[in-house]
């Protein structure tokens, strides 16, 4: 049989300290999917679901067990890095439950992202995979390419999209700076100053007087 017929699934759970000095969580080597949920809590709950393929089930289980998240605390930032073993082929889905006071930063997004009820969000580099962001107290800064993005109920917004499938933005309480290349764009309930730079995109404004 060709390929890697062996398969295993493993779930890793971890609790990470989040002292008052920590203000930002940064995720590196983005897995296939990430969910970040802000809660009234003083630590971080981490769940990593790993699916691994290898030449047999035992080897797949071994490499799934070896897939982990490395934690590095550096001043105000807590860095989380996905660490994969050399053998087999792994995909990973990460769920974080973090204090609502923390911000999230991603420098390389390559999968689905869902974020809600935290202080701020920053997505730099090329953002690929569907993105859903909601109930953010402060600023959202995001780059999105090739997949849909939905943003709702945020403090302020700086958004750049390139050929995104569908872009939905609603409930920006402060200013919004928006740059669109291609795609279908729907904007509603933007309360602050709005700057839009659009090229080859279909942009619709709705319910702009509600806030």
């Amino acid at each position: 049989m060709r390929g890697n017929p062996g398969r295993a699934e493993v779930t890793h759970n971890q609790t990470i300290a989040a002292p008052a000095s920590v203000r930002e969580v940064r995720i590196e080597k983005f897995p296939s999917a990430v969910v970040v949920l802000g809660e009234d809590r003083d630590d971080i709950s981490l769940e990593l679901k790993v699916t691994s393929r290898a030449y047999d089930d035992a080897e797949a289980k071994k490499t799934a067990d070896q897939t982990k998240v490395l934690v590095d605390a550096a001043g105000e930032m807590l860095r989380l890095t996905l660490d994969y073993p050399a053998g087999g082929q792994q995909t990973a889905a990460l769920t974080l439950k973090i204090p609502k006071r923390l911000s999230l930063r991603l420098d390389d997004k390559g999968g689905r992202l869902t974020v809600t009820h935290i202080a701020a969000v920053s997505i730099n580099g090329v953002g690929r995979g569907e993105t859903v962001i909601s109930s953010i107290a402060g600023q959202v800064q995001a780059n999105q390419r090739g997949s849909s993005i939905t943003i709702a109920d945020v403090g302020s917004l700086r958004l750049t999209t390139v050929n995104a499938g569908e872009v939905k933005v609603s409930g920006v309480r402060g200013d919004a700076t928006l740059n669109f290349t291609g795609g279908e764009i729907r904007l509603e309930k933007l309360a602050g100053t709005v700057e839009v730079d659009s090229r080859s995109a279909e942009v619709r404004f709705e319910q702009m007087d509600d806030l």
Side-chain angles (χ1 to χ4, degrees), residues 69-81:
V69 177
L70 303 179
V71 180
D72 178 27
E76 295 183 346
M77 181 178 65
L78 189 68
R79 181 184 291 110
L80 307 180
T81 305

Side-chain angles (χ1 to χ4, degrees), residues 75-113:
E76 295 183 346
M77 181 178 65
L78 189 68
R79 181 184 291 110
L80 307 180
T81 305
L82 269 290
D83 185 49
Y84 297 98
Q89 182 180 25
Q90 297 81 39
T91 58
L94 177 65
T95 298
L96 297 175
K97 297 178 181 179
I98 70 175
K100 291 194 293 186
R101 63 179 177 82
L102 296 182
S103 300
L104 175 69
R105 177 176 174 179
L106 305 170
D107 289 331
D108 184 16
K109 176 183 173 297
R112 177 180 170 85
L113 172 68

Side-chain angles (χ1 to χ4, degrees), residues 124 143 191:
N124 303 307
N143 296 328

Side-chain angles (χ1 to χ4, degrees), residues 145-195:
R145 179 182 291 270
S147 299
S148 65
I149 181 168
T150 301
I151 298 174
D153 186 22
V154 301
S156 61
L157 178 62
R158 298 182 65 88
L159 175 64
T160 298
T161 69
V162 178
N163 298 326
E166 187 175 23
V167 178
K168 297 179 181 179
V169 176
S170 64
V172 180
R173 299 183 296 276
D175 296 342
T177 302
L178 311 171
N179 190 311
F180 306 119
T181 301
E184 296 183 5
I185 320 297
R186 190 175 74 188
L187 309 174
E188 61 181 38
K189 298 182 180 180
L190 308 185
T193 301
V194 179
E195 298 181 13

Side-chain angles (χ1 to χ4, degrees), residues 2-33:
R2 295 181 179 179
N4 291 316
R7 186 177 185 276
E9 294 184 355
V10 172
T11 299
H12 302 281
N13 291 285
Q14 186 175 352
T15 299
I16 304 168
S21 58
V22 173
R23 302 183 64 181
E24 178 181 272
V25 174
R26 180 174 177 177
I27 300 175
E28 298 186 346
K29 295 188 178 179
F30 195 91
S32 56

